[in-house]
Amino acid sequence: MRAVEAVEAVFRIESARIIAGVARLVRDVGIAEELAQDALVAALEQWPRDGVPDNPGAWLMTTARHRAVDLVRRRERYARKLAEVGRDLEAAPHHLDTPADPDDIDDDLLRLVFTACHPVLSAEARIALTLRLVGGLTTPEIARALLVPEATVAQRVVRAKRTLATRNVAFEVPCGPEREARLGSVLEVIYLVFNEGYAATAGDDWLRPGLCEDALRLARVLAGLMPKEPEVHGLAALLELQASRSAARTGPSGEPVLLRDQNRRRWNRMLIRRGFAALARADAVSAGGPGPYVLQAAIAACHAQAYAYEDTDWGRIAALYGVLAARSPSPVVELNRAVAVSMAEGPGPALALVDALADEPALRAYHLLPSVRGDLLARLGRTAEARSEFERAASLARNERERALLLARASDHG
């Protein structure tokens, strides 16, 4: 791998931890992101000349933190904080030079999530900022994930960072009622980060395992912090069960493998057991009906319980999607319900559900809408229409692997 490619790859993996570690020092996520970018620029200048360091992630973290200390030193009003930072760095220099323990709880990352989800920000701004800082997503990727224009995302991120700075929001994991008040946003952004890792919206890779691992770790930490919250366990269960399929979701060349074609012997049974256990904990502490994450985890559990695609209880899945649509209505949920209905009742009833979504503004550029419609049309024998829908889906897809899959499906119906 060339040095420039190495810099870009490492920064994409490590950027969230670098921003989180620096934010703990400077107490400003906007400045922390700028300092992380400074470290990236330094790497782009030095690595092609000097070679890629043995521990590139630690190199970037060290460089960013040194710049943070320099910044604090230049500001007289932070003199006392500088002394604290200096003592921290002297007391634990190994943190800068050794790889992070993958089993260690990344407190800085959790602080970053809760800070980005502070109630001084709008719900939309919290999601966009966390996807940017924690997920490392670009503005186009966030826009794709949220089904909104890119300009809207850019404005939300800039305003969110400015608001956190001007309101002097503390960089911390809050306690008690304040933690509970931010929980909904925190769960949502962790879920969205996982989804971006599970099926990348753009780029050459179908999966981004680092994002899945970060989201799964954060969900597990939250489950320990808030053991009486059923939706926290529901999210943990959902991510464990979804992650269990990761090894089977790509072929030898990295191409996507659809659910019906996956080798279920490659599903991770340990993660499935963890998912079932988390779902049981959610049920045990639930005082009312299941929330959205518990319902989605129950759907994932139906898939995990089926040892073959033909054994899937599609009737139950369709019913669960119906409850989810009532509890948390969205066009995407309705599209997923249509897929389940197609398997339980046939493509005809499902096509009517999909056609009812045709004018949904949020799905106008969503490639999975024509993809699902193409599949239903193919099953109904309407081959030419199916091919047209797969071609339209491919034109909307921004992930190269997914686009190739859709074009292949269009060709199959030529």
Side-chain angles (χ1 to χ4, degrees), residues 45-68:
E45 292 173 349
Q46 296 181 38
W47 292 9
R49 182 188 66 228
D50 302 334
V52 178
D54 293 337
N55 191 339
W59 190 99
L60 288 168
M61 176 66 85
T62 301
T63 301
R65 292 180 73 175
H66 284 169
R67 278 165 166 68

Side-chain angles (χ1 to χ4, degrees), residues 204-207 246-258 261-262 266 399-406 408:
D204 297 329
D205 297 321
W206 173 239
L207 299 179
S246 294
R249 295 187 70 243
T250 54
S253 301
E255 70 277 11
V257 178
L258 299 177
D261 300 321
Q262 289 174 18
R266 300 188 66 198
N399 182 280
E400 294 300 327
R401 298 286 188 176
E402 200 165 14
R403 183 183 293 118
L405 174 66
L406 290 165

Side-chain angles (χ1 to χ4, degrees), residues 300-370:
C302 288
H303 290 296
Q305 288 168 336
Y307 285 96
Y309 185 75
E310 295 73 22
D311 299 333
T312 306
D313 188 347
W314 289 106
R316 174 167 170 72
I317 291 175
L320 287 168
Y321 269 121
V323 178
L324 179 60
R327 292 293 301 270
S328 184
S330 84
V332 173
V333 169
E334 192 64 14
L335 182 62
N336 287 331
R337 185 172 79 89
V339 173
V341 167
S342 78
M343 301 304 299
E345 303 176 20
L351 184 60
L353 295 175
V354 171
D355 286 345
L357 299 171
D359 296 326
E360 282 287 346
L363 298 183
R364 194 162 293 151
Y366 190 52
H367 69 285
L368 292 182
L369 178 61

Side-chain angles (χ1 to χ4, degrees), residues 130-131 134-135 137 186-201 206-220 235-246 249 271 293 296 300:
T130 311
L131 290 176
V134 179
L137 276 63
V186 170
L187 294 178
E188 185 171 11
V189 296
I190 291 174
Y191 177 56
L192 288 171
V193 168
F194 181 90
N195 280 347
E196 178 59 27
Y198 195 68
T201 56
W206 173 239
L207 299 179
R208 294 172 61 184
L211 290 183
C212 291
E213 291 165 6
D214 279 345
L216 187 52
R217 183 176 68 254
L218 289 172
R220 290 169 178 167
L235 177 65
L238 174 61
L239 301 195
E240 300 278 10
L241 292 168
Q242 296 287 75
S244 72
R245 306 179 204 161
S246 294
R249 295 187 70 243
L271 292 180
Y293 294 111
Q296 291 178 79

Side-chain angles (χ1 to χ4, degrees), residues 29 101 104 162 379:
V29 296
D101 182 350
D104 191 24
R162 184 187 303 129
R379 289 167 59 188

